[in-house]
């Protein structure tokens, strides 16, 4: 399992006048402020967090996720549930992982952890090689039905990031050896339909809810890739050159990408306008740190009603 980090004082990227359809003409005047906020007072070593609502927060000691409808939470480690009451965050529940819990009654419904489809019905078991690796499956949470994934013939299997599309049709993953894969459900198993080698050490990957776009960044290369699906064929649509590798990644629009926020391996922070994914524009780059910015507060995308994205400075 990867080293956990403290989320006590996170470094926040505040995008004022936040919108996923920011005009390119504003590229040189985007108001961005770097501030340090959010002290949860948890007092323990943690890895990531998700808001379940305006008043509920989950913080986990390892990989974790929350379904978009707020019905489920999951983590490979321990989950702390906090509720905002009377001006402070109060811990109301501790869930010991790995597993998946239903938030209506906090009952464990699956004994493995992973990532949820957008409709909240499917769980992709964590393909990270420190979790389930090539033993990962896709699970229908209402019945416990499992779907197999064909891992045969892969150039590398040291998986790190993985995601599943809105209805469970597509899954995507990246490896620390620099390979990107996409599989599609064929009625019997998930069949690999795409393989691409970008090199580097892939730590962050985002797939839009319909599986049309896949955005990938690696720690040791300074190029961000956007892949596009046409039918069942993926190609490189565009790339963005950065000043360092990618340790954190978030998108503002789960269907169309919108803005991409990235944290660099050596302290850079970037905002990219990808409202036209074929012609992404780097609209902000600054270097507020000297260490890797890691783990965006929102692992997959930035909710439209929240204008703050958090990165963890691994040097603090």
């Amino acid at each position: 399992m990867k080293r956990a980090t403290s989320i006590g004082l996170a470094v926040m990227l505040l995008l004022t006048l936040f919108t996923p359809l920011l005009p390119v003409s504003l590229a040189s005047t985007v108001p961005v402020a770097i501030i340090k906020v959010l002290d949860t007072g948890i007092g323990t070593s943690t890895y990531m967090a998700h808001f379940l609502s305006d008043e509920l927060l989950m913080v986990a000691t390892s990989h974790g996720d929350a379904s978009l409808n707020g019905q489920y939470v999951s983590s490979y480690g321990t989950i702390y549930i906090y509720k905002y009451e009377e001006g402070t965050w109060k811990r109301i529940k501790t869930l010991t992982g790995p597993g998946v819990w239903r938030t209506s009654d906090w009952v464990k419904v699956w004994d493995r952890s992973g990532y949820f489809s957008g409709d909240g019905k499917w769980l992709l078991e964590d393909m990270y090689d420190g979790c389930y690796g090539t033993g990962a499956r896709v699970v229908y949470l209402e019945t416990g039905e499992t779907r197999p994934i064909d891992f045969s013939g892969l150039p590398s299997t040291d998986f790190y990031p993985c995601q599943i599309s809105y209805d469970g049709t597509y899954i995507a993953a990246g490896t620390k050896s620099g390979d990107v894969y996409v599989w599609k459900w064929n009625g019997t198993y998930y069949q690999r339909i795409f393989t691409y080698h970008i090199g580097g050490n892939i730590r962050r990957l985002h797939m839009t809810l319909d599986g049309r776009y896949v955005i990938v960044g690696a720690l040791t290369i300074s190029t961000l890739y956007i892949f596009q699906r046409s039918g069942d064929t993926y190609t490189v649509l565009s790339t963005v050159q950065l000043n360092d590798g990618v340790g954190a990644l978030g998108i503002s629009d789960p269907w169309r990408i919108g803005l991409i926020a990235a944290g660099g391996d050596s302290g850079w922070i970037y905002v990219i306008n990808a409202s036209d994914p074929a012609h992404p524009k780097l609209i902000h780059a600054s270097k507020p740190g000297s260490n890797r910015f890691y783990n965006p507060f929102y692992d997959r995308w930035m909710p439209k009603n929240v204008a703050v994205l958090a990165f963890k400075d691994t040097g603090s």
Side-chain angles (χ1 to χ4, degrees):
M1 189 188 304
K2 298 177 300 307
R3 177 178 62 86
T5 55
S6 170
I7 201 168
L9 281 175
V11 175
M12 298 294 201
L13 176 63
L14 177 61
L15 304 179
T16 56
L17 304 180
F18 184 88
T19 169
L21 298 177
L22 189 70
V24 175
S25 60
L26 295 181
S28 61
T29 60
V30 176
V32 175
I34 307 300
I35 57 177
K36 288 189 177 182
V37 296
L38 186 61
D39 188 346
T40 62
I42 290 172
T44 189
S45 184
T46 56
Y47 182 76
M48 55 74 59
H50 280 286
F51 278 106
L52 307 180
S53 68
D54 289 338
E55 292 83 26
L56 281 180
L57 173 70
M58 68 162 280
V59 179
T61 61
S62 183
H63 282 190
D65 196 17
S67 62
L68 279 182
N69 57 12
Q71 186 176 356
Y72 298 106
V73 295
S74 178
S75 180
Y76 193 75
T78 300
I79 296 177
Y80 302 103
I81 303 296
Y82 281 77
K83 186 175 183 179
Y84 193 73
E85 294 179 333
E86 299 176 352
T88 186
W89 290 98
K90 298 179 181 179
R91 186 188 301 184
I92 63 170
K93 188 68 64 174
T94 299
L95 310 170
T96 303
V100 175
W101 291 264
R102 190 170 51 229
T103 58
S104 60
D105 52 13
W106 304 113
V107 169
K108 181 183 279 191
V109 299
W110 196 249
D111 61 0
R112 285 186 167 195
S113 60
Y115 303 96
F116 300 104
S117 61
D119 62 9
K121 296 180 179 180
W122 300 93
L123 177 82
L124 171 59
E125 294 178 340
D126 196 345
M127 294 166 61
Y128 167 54
D129 62 2
C131 294
Y132 309 112
T134 56
R137 304 157 298 180
V138 173
V139 183
Y140 188 61
L141 290 169
E142 291 184 9
T143 64
E145 168 201 348
T146 59
R147 291 178 169 183
I149 304 167
D150 181 10
F151 291 105
S152 63
L154 299 180
S156 63
T157 57
D158 51 346
F159 297 110
Y160 202 104
C162 60
Q163 287 189 353
I164 183 168
S165 65
Y166 182 84
D167 61 357
T169 299
Y170 298 94
I171 57 178
T175 70
K176 289 176 281 188
S177 297
D179 294 306
V180 181
Y181 307 117
V182 180
W183 293 261
K184 183 182 180 183
W185 176 247
N186 66 9
T188 304
Y189 60 91
Y190 282 92
Q191 179 180 9
R192 179 163 48 101
I193 61 172
F194 180 66
T195 302
Y196 194 91
H197 182 75
I198 69 170
N201 182 342
I202 297 174
R203 295 296 183 94
R204 292 292 173 260
L205 173 150
H206 287 293
M207 180 169 57
T208 53
L209 290 179
D210 55 3
R212 184 180 182 188
Y213 299 108
V214 178
I215 305 97
V216 183
L219 286 180
T220 55
I221 59 172
S222 56
T223 303
L224 186 72
Y225 285 80
I226 300 177
F227 299 94
Q228 182 181 42
R229 176 177 59 82
S230 177
D232 286 334
T233 300
Y234 282 85
T235 57
V236 177
L237 177 64
S238 57
T239 59
V240 180
Q241 292 303 125
L242 307 174
N243 296 317
D244 59 355
V246 175
L249 193 63
I251 62 177
S252 65
D253 188 329
W255 292 102
R256 297 173 296 174
I257 304 178
L259 293 178
I260 301 171
D265 187 43
S266 61
W268 284 86
I269 286 179
Y270 310 94
V271 181
I272 299 157
N273 180 6
S275 54
D276 177 2
H279 302 95
K281 304 292 185 182
L282 181 65
I283 60 174
H284 175 81
S286 62
K287 195 175 188 295
S290 57
N291 300 285
R292 179 184 306 165
F293 281 113
Y294 199 65
N295 249 48
F297 207 64
Y298 289 92
D299 262 6
R300 189 165 187 180
W301 51 73
M302 297 173 279
K304 292 182 179 180
N305 63 333
V306 177
V308 177
L309 179 69
F311 299 91
K312 167 64 187 177
D313 183 337
T314 58
S316 65

Short mmCIF file of all heavy atoms in Angstrom, two decimals, residues 83-111:
data_model
loop_
_atom_site.label_atom_id
_atom_site.label_comp_id
_atom_site.label_asym_id
_atom_site.label_seq_id
_atom_site.Cartn_x
_atom_site.Cartn_y
_atom_site.Cartn_z
N LYS A 83 -19.30 15.05 9.94
CA LYS A 83 -20.47 15.87 9.69
C LYS A 83 -20.21 17.29 10.20
O LYS A 83 -19.65 17.46 11.29
CB LYS A 83 -21.70 15.29 10.38
CG LYS A 83 -23.00 16.02 10.04
CD LYS A 83 -24.20 15.32 10.64
CE LYS A 83 -25.49 16.02 10.23
NZ LYS A 83 -26.69 15.34 10.80
N TYR A 84 -20.60 18.27 9.39
CA TYR A 84 -20.38 19.66 9.79
C TYR A 84 -21.54 20.12 10.65
O TYR A 84 -22.68 20.21 10.20
CB TYR A 84 -20.25 20.54 8.55
CG TYR A 84 -19.72 21.92 8.84
CD1 TYR A 84 -18.38 22.12 9.16
CD2 TYR A 84 -20.57 23.02 8.81
CE1 TYR A 84 -17.89 23.39 9.42
CE2 TYR A 84 -20.08 24.30 9.07
CZ TYR A 84 -18.74 24.47 9.39
OH TYR A 84 -18.26 25.73 9.65
N GLU A 85 -21.25 20.40 11.90
CA GLU A 85 -22.27 20.83 12.85
C GLU A 85 -21.74 21.96 13.71
O GLU A 85 -20.62 21.88 14.23
CB GLU A 85 -22.70 19.68 13.76
CG GLU A 85 -23.42 18.54 13.05
CD GLU A 85 -23.81 17.43 14.01
OE1 GLU A 85 -23.11 17.28 15.04
OE2 GLU A 85 -24.78 16.72 13.73
N GLU A 86 -22.52 22.99 13.87
CA GLU A 86 -22.18 24.10 14.76
C GLU A 86 -20.78 24.66 14.49
O GLU A 86 -20.00 24.93 15.40
CB GLU A 86 -22.31 23.65 16.22
CG GLU A 86 -23.71 23.20 16.58
CD GLU A 86 -23.79 22.66 18.00
OE1 GLU A 86 -22.72 22.50 18.63
OE2 GLU A 86 -24.91 22.40 18.47
N GLY A 87 -20.46 24.80 13.20
CA GLY A 87 -19.22 25.44 12.80
C GLY A 87 -17.98 24.58 12.88
O GLY A 87 -16.86 25.10 12.74
N THR A 88 -18.14 23.26 13.03
CA THR A 88 -16.96 22.39 13.09
C THR A 88 -17.29 21.02 12.51
O THR A 88 -18.46 20.62 12.42
CB THR A 88 -16.48 22.23 14.56
OG1 THR A 88 -15.25 21.49 14.56
CG2 THR A 88 -17.50 21.47 15.38
N TRP A 89 -16.24 20.31 12.09
CA TRP A 89 -16.41 18.96 11.56
C TRP A 89 -16.31 17.97 12.72
O TRP A 89 -15.32 17.92 13.42
CB TRP A 89 -15.33 18.65 10.52
CG TRP A 89 -15.50 19.41 9.25
CD1 TRP A 89 -14.87 20.57 8.88
CD2 TRP A 89 -16.38 19.10 8.17
NE1 TRP A 89 -15.29 20.99 7.66
CE2 TRP A 89 -16.23 20.10 7.19
CE3 TRP A 89 -17.29 18.07 7.95
CZ2 TRP A 89 -16.93 20.10 6.00
CZ3 TRP A 89 -18.00 18.06 6.75
CH2 TRP A 89 -17.83 19.07 5.79
N LYS A 90 -17.37 17.17 12.89
CA LYS A 90 -17.40 16.18 13.96
C LYS A 90 -17.41 14.77 13.38
O LYS A 90 -18.21 14.47 12.49
CB LYS A 90 -18.65 16.39 14.83
CG LYS A 90 -18.69 17.75 15.52
CD LYS A 90 -19.95 17.91 16.35
CE LYS A 90 -20.01 19.27 17.02
NZ LYS A 90 -21.26 19.44 17.82
N ARG A 91 -16.53 13.92 13.89
CA ARG A 91 -16.48 12.54 13.40
C ARG A 91 -17.70 11.79 13.92
O ARG A 91 -17.97 11.75 15.12
CB ARG A 91 -15.21 11.84 13.86
CG ARG A 91 -15.06 10.45 13.25
CD ARG A 91 -13.90 9.67 13.85
NE ARG A 91 -12.64 10.34 13.67
CZ ARG A 91 -11.47 9.81 14.05
NH1 ARG A 91 -11.45 8.62 14.65
NH2 ARG A 91 -10.35 10.48 13.86
N ILE A 92 -18.46 11.18 12.99
CA ILE A 92 -19.66 10.45 13.38
C ILE A 92 -19.58 8.96 13.11
O ILE A 92 -20.41 8.19 13.59
CB ILE A 92 -20.91 11.02 12.67
CG1 ILE A 92 -20.79 10.85 11.15
CG2 ILE A 92 -21.14 12.47 13.05
CD1 ILE A 92 -22.08 11.17 10.40
N LYS A 93 -18.58 8.52 12.31
CA LYS A 93 -18.51 7.10 11.97
C LYS A 93 -17.09 6.74 11.56
O LYS A 93 -16.40 7.52 10.91
CB LYS A 93 -19.47 6.79 10.82
CG LYS A 93 -19.64 5.33 10.47
CD LYS A 93 -20.37 4.57 11.56
CE LYS A 93 -21.79 5.04 11.75
NZ LYS A 93 -22.52 4.19 12.71
N THR A 94 -16.64 5.53 11.93
CA THR A 94 -15.37 4.97 11.48
C THR A 94 -15.66 3.63 10.81
O THR A 94 -16.29 2.76 11.42
CB THR A 94 -14.40 4.77 12.65
OG1 THR A 94 -14.13 6.05 13.25
CG2 THR A 94 -13.08 4.18 12.15
N LEU A 95 -15.22 3.47 9.57
CA LEU A 95 -15.47 2.26 8.78
C LEU A 95 -14.12 1.61 8.46
O LEU A 95 -13.26 2.25 7.86
CB LEU A 95 -16.22 2.59 7.50
CG LEU A 95 -17.49 3.45 7.66
CD1 LEU A 95 -18.00 3.90 6.31
CD2 LEU A 95 -18.57 2.68 8.41
N THR A 96 -13.95 0.36 8.83
CA THR A 96 -12.67 -0.33 8.66
C THR A 96 -12.67 -1.14 7.38
O THR A 96 -13.47 -2.08 7.23
CB THR A 96 -12.37 -1.24 9.86
OG1 THR A 96 -12.38 -0.44 11.05
CG2 THR A 96 -11.01 -1.90 9.71
N GLY A 97 -11.81 -0.79 6.44
CA GLY A 97 -11.77 -1.43 5.14
C GLY A 97 -10.83 -2.62 5.08
O GLY A 97 -10.23 -2.99 6.10
N PRO A 98 -10.74 -3.21 3.88
CA PRO A 98 -11.36 -2.74 2.63
C PRO A 98 -12.84 -3.08 2.57
O PRO A 98 -13.31 -3.99 3.26
CB PRO A 98 -10.57 -3.48 1.55
CG PRO A 98 -10.13 -4.75 2.21
CD PRO A 98 -9.87 -4.39 3.65
N GLY A 99 -13.56 -2.32 1.73
CA GLY A 99 -14.96 -2.62 1.55
C GLY A 99 -15.74 -1.50 0.92
O GLY A 99 -15.20 -0.44 0.58
N VAL A 100 -17.05 -1.75 0.75
CA VAL A 100 -18.02 -0.77 0.26
C VAL A 100 -19.15 -0.71 1.28
O VAL A 100 -19.65 -1.74 1.74
CB VAL A 100 -18.59 -1.18 -1.12
CG1 VAL A 100 -19.70 -0.22 -1.56
CG2 VAL A 100 -17.49 -1.25 -2.17
N TRP A 101 -19.56 0.52 1.65
CA TRP A 101 -20.62 0.72 2.62
C TRP A 101 -21.75 1.53 2.02
O TRP A 101 -21.52 2.47 1.25
CB TRP A 101 -20.11 1.46 3.86
CG TRP A 101 -19.16 0.65 4.69
CD1 TRP A 101 -19.44 -0.10 5.79
CD2 TRP A 101 -17.75 0.52 4.46
NE1 TRP A 101 -18.30 -0.70 6.27
CE2 TRP A 101 -17.24 -0.33 5.48
CE3 TRP A 101 -16.86 1.02 3.51
CZ2 TRP A 101 -15.90 -0.67 5.57
CZ3 TRP A 101 -15.52 0.68 3.59
CH2 TRP A 101 -15.05 -0.16 4.60
N ARG A 102 -22.97 1.16 2.39
CA ARG A 102 -24.16 1.92 2.02
C ARG A 102 -24.34 3.05 3.02
O ARG A 102 -24.36 2.82 4.24
CB ARG A 102 -25.37 0.99 2.02
CG ARG A 102 -26.64 1.56 1.43
CD ARG A 102 -27.70 0.49 1.27
NE ARG A 102 -27.90 -0.26 2.52
CZ ARG A 102 -27.92 -1.59 2.60
NH1 ARG A 102 -27.75 -2.34 1.53
NH2 ARG A 102 -28.13 -2.18 3.77
N THR A 103 -24.49 4.27 2.55
CA THR A 103 -24.48 5.43 3.46
C THR A 103 -25.80 5.60 4.20
O THR A 103 -25.85 6.33 5.19
CB THR A 103 -24.15 6.72 2.69
OG1 THR A 103 -25.12 6.91 1.64
CG2 THR A 103 -22.76 6.67 2.09
N SER A 104 -26.86 4.97 3.75
CA SER A 104 -28.15 5.13 4.44
C SER A 104 -28.14 4.48 5.81
O SER A 104 -28.80 4.94 6.74
CB SER A 104 -29.29 4.53 3.61
OG SER A 104 -29.07 3.15 3.37
N ASP A 105 -27.36 3.38 5.97
CA ASP A 105 -27.31 2.69 7.26
C ASP A 105 -25.90 2.24 7.63
O ASP A 105 -25.70 1.59 8.65
CB ASP A 105 -28.24 1.47 7.25
CG ASP A 105 -27.98 0.53 6.05
OD1 ASP A 105 -26.94 0.70 5.38
OD2 ASP A 105 -28.83 -0.33 5.79
N TRP A 106 -24.89 2.60 6.80
CA TRP A 106 -23.49 2.28 7.02
C TRP A 106 -23.24 0.77 7.11
O TRP A 106 -22.33 0.31 7.78
CB TRP A 106 -22.94 2.98 8.27
CG TRP A 106 -23.11 4.47 8.21
CD1 TRP A 106 -23.91 5.23 9.00
CD2 TRP A 106 -22.51 5.37 7.27
NE1 TRP A 106 -23.85 6.55 8.64
CE2 TRP A 106 -22.99 6.68 7.57
CE3 TRP A 106 -21.60 5.20 6.21
CZ2 TRP A 106 -22.61 7.79 6.85
CZ3 TRP A 106 -21.22 6.34 5.49
CH2 TRP A 106 -21.72 7.60 5.82
N VAL A 107 -24.03 -0.01 6.37
CA VAL A 107 -23.83 -1.45 6.28
C VAL A 107 -22.83 -1.77 5.17
O VAL A 107 -22.93 -1.20 4.07
CB VAL A 107 -25.17 -2.17 6.03
CG1 VAL A 107 -24.95 -3.64 5.67
CG2 VAL A 107 -26.07 -2.06 7.24
N LYS A 108 -21.89 -2.66 5.44
CA LYS A 108 -20.93 -3.08 4.41
C LYS A 108 -21.64 -4.00 3.43
O LYS A 108 -22.24 -5.00 3.82
CB LYS A 108 -19.73 -3.79 5.03
CG LYS A 108 -18.70 -4.22 3.99
CD LYS A 108 -17.53 -4.99 4.61
CE LYS A 108 -16.52 -4.06 5.23
NZ LYS A 108 -15.26 -4.78 5.59
N VAL A 109 -21.56 -3.67 2.13
CA VAL A 109 -22.25 -4.46 1.11
C VAL A 109 -21.28 -5.22 0.21
O VAL A 109 -21.70 -6.06 -0.58
CB VAL A 109 -23.16 -3.56 0.24
CG1 VAL A 109 -24.23 -2.91 1.10
CG2 VAL A 109 -22.35 -2.49 -0.51
N TRP A 110 -19.98 -4.91 0.30
CA TRP A 110 -18.98 -5.64 -0.48
C TRP A 110 -17.66 -5.60 0.29
O TRP A 110 -17.35 -4.60 0.95
CB TRP A 110 -18.80 -5.03 -1.87
CG TRP A 110 -18.10 -5.94 -2.84
CD1 TRP A 110 -16.85 -5.78 -3.38
CD2 TRP A 110 -18.61 -7.15 -3.41
NE1 TRP A 110 -16.55 -6.81 -4.24
CE2 TRP A 110 -17.63 -7.68 -4.26
CE3 TRP A 110 -19.80 -7.86 -3.26
CZ2 TRP A 110 -17.78 -8.87 -4.98
CZ3 TRP A 110 -19.98 -9.04 -3.97
CH2 TRP A 110 -18.99 -9.53 -4.81
N ASP A 111 -16.91 -6.70 0.21
CA ASP A 111 -15.70 -6.80 1.04
C ASP A 111 -14.43 -6.41 0.30
O ASP A 111 -13.32 -6.59 0.82
CB ASP A 111 -15.57 -8.21 1.63
CG ASP A 111 -15.44 -9.29 0.55
OD1 ASP A 111 -15.46 -8.94 -0.65
OD2 ASP A 111 -15.34 -10.47 0.91
#
